[in-house]
Amino acid sequence: MKKLLFITALSFISSAAINLFAFEKISTQDLFYSYLKNDSDLKNLTIEAEQAQLSLKSTQIENGFLVNLTSGSLILKSNGEDSSLTVKSAGLSASLPQASNLTLTASSDYSVENSDSEKVSEFSDTKLNLSIDIFSSNSITRKVNLMKAQRSFTQAKRALENQAIECEIEFYTSLKELLTATGDIISAQSDLYDDTMDFESIKAKGYSSLSSTYQLANMKVLSDQHEIQSLIHDYILFYKDCGYEIQLDSSTDFYQLLPSDLPQVQGLDINSFDSEKYTEIEEALWTYQINSLSRSANNYFSLSANGGYTFNNSDTSTDTLDAGLSTSIAGLSLSGGVNMPLNGQNPVYTFGASLSPSDFFLKSISDKSNKLTDEAELLAIEDARKNYEKVKTQKEGELEEILWNKESYQESYQMYESLSNQLKEAFDAGLIAESQYLSALSQVKSYKVNLLTNKIDLIIYNNELLTLFVNE
C-alpha cells in the first residue's frame, strides 16, 4: 500500500490546476489527487530522494572497479642539434576494492634521443606489481560506506513515501472535519426552516417590528443564517486547500454532497506486521549494526603483501622479481621487501619501521569508549521493543473502538431510516405534524454522517499504522 501511494504521489506531483466553477460534487479521489499535488513538502522530498540516489551511484562507482592512467613526468631537452625526450613513471593502475583491495600497477620510464641523425629509444624500470590486503579494515570501511549511502537513499525514499501517507492522513482528517460541519449545516438548515416558519407566522399575526416577540424571532433566523454562512466558509477553505475555488450558498443541498465514493478498507491488524520492522526498532538495530562494523574497522592491525616483476631494474641492471610485506599494530608500522635479480646477483633487501607511542594509549581509550557505546545502543534496542509493546496495545484498542462504533452507527442508522419511512407515510396521510417526520429524518442524516466519518477513522488508522513500520 505504501508503494502504491508512493507511485501515485509521484505521478501527480509534477502538475497543478486550479478550477473555478459553480459548485458541483467532486469525487473524493480527485480531491485527494489535487490535495497531493499542492503539497510542497512532497515536491522537496522528491528532489531529496533523487539527490540521495545520485550520491549512492557515486559511492558505488568509487568502491567498484577503479582504473587510473598517468602520463608521468615528461622532460624535453634540445640544444638545436641534439634533442631528447624522457618520460618518468608513466603507468596504469587498476584496483578491485571489494576483492581485498586487489591492485595491479604497471609503470615504466621511457627515453628517446636524437643525435647525429640517430634515434635511440629505451624502456627502463618497467614494473609490474600486484598487491593485496591479507588482513585490513579497508574491506569493512568500504562496506560501511556503501551501507551508509544505501541507507541515505532508503531513508529518502521512506521520507517521501511517509509524506504521501501523511498527506492522505491530513486530507482525510480535514474531510472528516468537513463532514462533521456538514452535519451541523444540515441541522442548521432544519433550524432555519423551523425558525423562518415561526417568524413568518408572527409577521402574519400582525406583531410590530418593534415588539420583543418579533425581534426575538427575527434574531433566531439571522443567527441560523450566520451559522450556515460560517460553516460554508469551512467548506470553501477545504476545497481551496485541494486547489479548487467553489461557490456555495445557504440553499445548497449539502446532504446530497456527502461523498459516496469513500474507499472501502479493512482494518489492519498490528500483529500482522513484523515487529522487527517497527520503525524505532529497525532504526535502533541499524544503528547498532553500522556502528559495530565501524568499530570493528578500528582494529589497529593490518597486513598486506605485494609481488611483481621489474624489467631492466636500474638498481641491479637486470630484471628482478620483487616481493614485499607490510604490517601495522597500533602505533607500530613495519615494512620489508626484496628484489631478486635474475642474473644471479645477490638480492637487494629493504626495511622500514615507524613508531607512534600515543596510538597505544588512544587504542585503550577508544576500546573503553566503544564498549560503553555498544552497551548504550543495545539498551536503545531494548527500549524500542518496550515502546513497540505499548504502541501495539494502544493500536489494538483503537481498532476495536472504531469497529464497535461502526456496528453501533449502522444499527442506529437503520433504525432511524425505518422510523423516518414510517413517519413519512404518516405525514403524507396527515396523521402527524411535519416536524415529527423532519426530526427523524435529521437523525437519519446525522448517523449517515457518523458512518462516513467512521470510514475515515479506519482509513486514518490504517495509514497511521503503516507509518509505524518500514516496508522493505
Side-chain angles (χ1 to χ4, degrees):
M1 183 173 181
K2 264 191 176 182
K3 290 183 177 179
L4 178 61
L5 185 56
F6 172 56
I7 294 172
T8 301
L10 288 181
S11 65
F12 281 90
I13 200 172
S14 59
S15 63
I18 300 296
N19 297 306
L20 179 62
F21 57 98
F23 184 72
E24 62 184 50
K25 191 171 183 179
I26 306 170
S27 72
T28 304
Q29 186 181 58
D30 287 342
L31 286 172
F32 174 54
Y33 286 162
S34 185
Y35 188 88
L36 273 181
K37 62 191 178 189
N38 281 289
D39 186 79
S40 59
D41 289 337
L42 209 55
K43 297 175 184 178
N44 289 330
L45 288 172
T46 301
I47 295 173
E48 291 179 12
E50 292 174 352
Q51 291 174 332
Q53 186 176 32
L54 292 175
S55 179
L56 173 60
K57 290 180 179 179
S58 176
T59 304
Q60 289 172 335
I61 291 173
E62 292 172 354
N63 289 272
F65 179 68
L66 303 178
V67 176
N68 182 45
L69 298 170
T70 177
S71 65
S73 300
L74 281 73
I75 304 172
L76 178 62
K77 297 180 180 180
S78 177
N79 58 12
E81 296 179 359
D82 300 333
S83 63
S84 66
L85 173 67
T86 304
V87 180
K88 291 287 188 180
S89 301
L92 165 70
S93 174
S95 62
L96 282 171
Q98 65 270 35
S100 298
N101 208 27
L102 180 66
T103 303
L104 173 66
T105 58
S107 64
S108 180
D109 294 345
Y110 176 71
S111 63
V112 179
E113 294 186 4
N114 287 316
S115 177
D116 298 330
S117 301
E118 288 188 34
K119 182 177 181 180
V120 180
S121 61
E122 180 183 14
F123 285 94
S124 63
D125 283 340
T126 300
K127 299 179 181 180
L128 295 175
N129 187 73
L130 186 68
S131 63
I132 189 171
D133 291 338
I134 298 174
F135 188 88
S136 171
S137 62
N138 288 336
S139 60
I140 298 177
T141 301
R142 172 186 168 275
K143 182 178 181 180
V144 167
N145 291 337
L146 284 172
M147 289 176 65
K148 286 183 176 180
Q150 180 63 58
R151 180 70 174 185
S152 295
F153 178 48
T154 298
Q155 288 182 318
K157 286 195 302 179
R158 287 178 187 172
L160 179 56
E161 293 170 2
N162 285 336
Q163 179 59 29
I165 295 177
E166 289 295 337
C167 281
E168 187 173 12
I169 292 173
E170 291 172 4
F171 169 79
Y172 279 107
T173 299
S174 298
L175 181 58
K176 178 182 176 181
E177 294 173 354
L178 184 65
L179 293 183
T180 301
T182 301
D184 293 337
I185 289 177
I186 293 171
S187 177
Q189 285 177 322
S190 177
D191 292 340
L192 176 61
Y193 172 79
D194 292 338
D195 291 338
T196 300
M197 294 297 294
D198 292 341
F199 183 47
E200 292 299 324
S201 175
I202 288 172
K203 287 195 294 184
K205 292 177 180 179
Y207 280 90
S208 168
S209 60
L210 298 177
S211 67
S212 60
T213 301
Y214 184 99
Q215 291 182 0
L216 286 173
N218 187 32
M219 285 299 297
K220 284 185 178 181
V221 172
L222 294 175
S223 178
D224 293 338
Q225 291 174 341
H226 176 73
E227 182 178 359
I228 292 173
Q229 289 300 322
S230 176
L231 294 171
I232 287 175
H233 179 69
D234 294 338
Y235 232 106
I236 292 174
L237 286 179
F238 171 77
Y239 276 83
K240 184 171 290 187
D241 287 340
C242 295
Y244 291 92
E245 297 288 344
I246 62 172
Q247 298 174 359
L248 300 174
D249 56 44
S250 58
S251 64
T252 303
D253 187 353
F254 291 94
Y255 186 72
Q256 294 301 319
L257 296 178
L258 293 177
S260 58
D261 59 347
L262 288 177
Q264 298 289 335
V265 298
Q266 298 294 322
L268 298 176
D269 183 1
I270 191 172
N271 294 294
S272 66
F273 291 80
D274 182 1
S275 63
E276 297 297 286
K277 295 300 182 181
Y278 180 63
T279 301
E280 187 178 350
I281 294 177
E282 192 271 348
E283 180 67 28
L285 289 171
W286 156 259
T287 299
Y288 179 71
Q289 178 190 19
I290 196 68
N291 288 346
S292 294
L293 276 174
S294 298
R295 289 190 287 269
S296 68
N298 298 324
N299 50 33
Y300 294 92
F301 175 73
S302 66
L303 178 65
S304 61
N306 65 82
Y309 189 93
T310 302
F311 297 91
N312 192 18
N313 193 321
S314 59
D315 293 331
T316 61
S317 300
T318 184
D319 294 353
T320 60
L321 286 173
D322 311 315
L325 194 68
S326 61
T327 185
S328 65
I329 306 173
L332 177 64
S333 296
L334 301 171
S335 63
V338 59
N339 302 114
M340 300 289 295
L342 298 184
N343 62 358
Q345 297 180 20
N346 292 328
V348 177
Y349 299 96
T350 58
F351 298 96
S354 65
L355 178 65
S356 177
S358 61
D359 286 350
F360 287 99
F361 300 103
L362 291 175
K363 180 181 183 302
S364 175
I365 294 173
S366 178
D367 288 343
K368 292 178 181 178
S369 177
N370 288 340
K371 182 178 179 181
L372 292 174
T373 303
D374 190 275
E375 292 176 359
E377 289 171 356
L378 289 174
L379 285 174
I381 295 173
E382 184 179 345
D383 288 341
R385 289 201 165 100
K386 290 178 180 178
N387 291 338
Y388 167 75
E389 293 299 326
K390 294 178 182 178
V391 170
K392 184 174 73 169
T393 302
Q394 175 189 341
K395 288 300 177 182
E396 287 173 341
E398 288 181 13
L399 179 59
E400 182 180 351
E401 182 178 0
I402 291 172
L403 296 179
W404 186 89
N405 286 338
K406 178 182 178 180
E407 294 182 5
S408 175
Y409 294 151
Q410 186 64 41
E411 290 177 1
S412 298
Y413 174 76
Q414 292 174 346
M415 180 186 70
Y416 279 105
E417 184 179 40
S418 175
L419 178 60
S420 68
N421 291 334
Q422 295 174 15
L423 293 178
K424 178 65 167 61
E425 294 178 359
F427 169 69
D428 291 341
L431 300 176
I432 62 171
E434 183 181 23
S435 59
Q436 293 178 275
Y437 161 66
L438 293 178
S439 176
L441 184 60
S442 178
Q443 290 295 328
V444 173
K445 294 178 179 180
S446 176
Y447 280 103
K448 176 67 174 179
V449 171
N450 287 343
L451 283 172
L452 292 175
T453 56
N454 179 261
K455 284 185 178 180
I456 292 176
D457 285 338
L458 193 56
I459 293 172
I460 293 174
Y461 165 83
N462 283 351
N463 283 330
E464 289 178 341
L465 192 59
L466 287 173
T467 60
L468 296 177
F469 296 86
V470 298
N471 64 353
E472 288 85 1

